[in-house]
Amino acid sequence: DDRIYMGLDDAQVLFGKEDVANVFVVQTTEGADTERVAEKITEKLLKSMEEEEFQVFTPEQLLKQIGAILGVIQIVLASIASISLLVGAIGIMNSMFTAVLERTREIGVMKAIGAGRKDILVLFVVEAGSLGAVGGIVGTAIGTLFAYAVEYGAHLADYYLFSVHADPVLMLEVILFSFVLGAVAGFIPAYRAAALKPVEALRYE
């Protein structure tokens, strides 16, 4: 594709840097202690270079650094997600309280023709859950598009190791969780609607 592999001597001549090599990759023998090998390499390099002129990394150290970075990212994303869920739940609850007030007479009519408290409760809980599910679907779609956009940008910058995989099962779980969250947030308004007395509901203006 857009990469060329060549011998070190040829590369140094081609780029006019015959005494320069910016990276050495060392492969150890099976069973060797990588930490001890890194120490020996450091000792050798210190004989001809200053300590601040080079860095020696083992695979374990690189994994720890990557893990630390990913851990911070996960904490930040989890915090943002928690705040978003809380705001979304409060929004659904407010919407359902408003819906109950606006449909008070409708609730009275339903109760007058035979609807029970359970029927009213289920109706509003399902409605609140549906609002949450719609939010989950929209959020999942936007998040997936954003992730693929980041992947596309990474590939343009030659970071081909960065890839995005959309898991349909995980998406369904997120949408289901959004439904449950919406239903829980809407339970109190639904309970309030179910507790309305038919006569008072029909008189409501």
Side-chain angles (χ1 to χ4, degrees):
D1 297 326
D2 58 353
R3 295 178 182 271
I4 297 175
Y5 292 88
M6 64 176 68
L8 177 61
D9 294 336
D10 295 331
Q12 289 175 331
V13 172
L14 179 64
F15 293 103
K17 298 180 179 180
E18 297 184 8
D19 296 326
V20 175
N22 60 351
V23 176
F24 286 99
V25 179
V26 179
Q27 182 175 354
T28 61
T29 56
E30 186 176 352
D33 184 352
T34 54
E35 294 293 337
R36 181 58 187 151
V37 173
E39 291 175 5
K40 289 183 178 180
I41 293 173
T42 302
E43 292 171 2
K44 278 190 170 292
L45 290 175
L46 284 174
K47 294 178 180 178
S48 58
M49 303 174 67
E50 296 296 327
E51 187 174 354
E52 62 272 8
E53 292 181 320
F54 68 90
Q55 290 180 305
V56 180
F57 291 103
T58 64
E60 290 80 8
Q61 291 173 328
L62 290 174
L63 286 175
K64 286 181 181 178
Q65 289 183 356
I66 294 172
I69 294 171
L70 290 177
V72 172
I73 293 175
Q74 286 178 342
I75 291 172
V76 172
L77 291 177
S79 300
I80 295 173
S82 299
I83 295 172
S84 300
L85 289 173
L86 179 61
V87 171
I90 294 173
I92 291 174
M93 186 179 294
N94 288 336
S95 297
M96 294 309 299
F97 271 123
T98 303
V100 170
L101 287 175
E102 292 176 347
R103 294 155 62 183
T104 300
R105 287 180 60 84
E106 180 183 330
I107 295 169
V109 172
M110 286 190 291
K111 285 199 165 189
I113 61 176
R117 296 183 60 174
K118 182 179 179 181
D119 298 322
I120 304 297
L121 181 67
V122 171
L123 177 67
F124 279 94
V125 166
V126 171
E127 183 176 331
S130 299
L131 287 175
V134 170
I137 292 170
V138 173
T140 300
I142 294 175
T144 302
L145 290 175
F146 179 76
Y148 279 113
V150 172
E151 180 190 42
Y152 180 72
H155 288 180
L156 289 178
D158 290 337
Y159 292 101
Y160 290 97
L161 292 177
F162 184 87
S163 62
V164 174
H165 173 67
D167 188 348
V169 176
L170 181 60
M171 289 182 177
L172 289 175
E173 290 176 351
V174 168
I175 294 170
L176 179 61
F177 176 77
S178 300
F179 178 87
V180 173
L181 180 66
V184 171
F187 180 80
I188 295 177
Y191 182 82
R192 183 173 177 179
L196 288 173
K197 295 181 180 180
V199 175
E200 293 178 359
L202 288 170
R203 289 176 178 174
Y204 182 82
E205 294 293 338

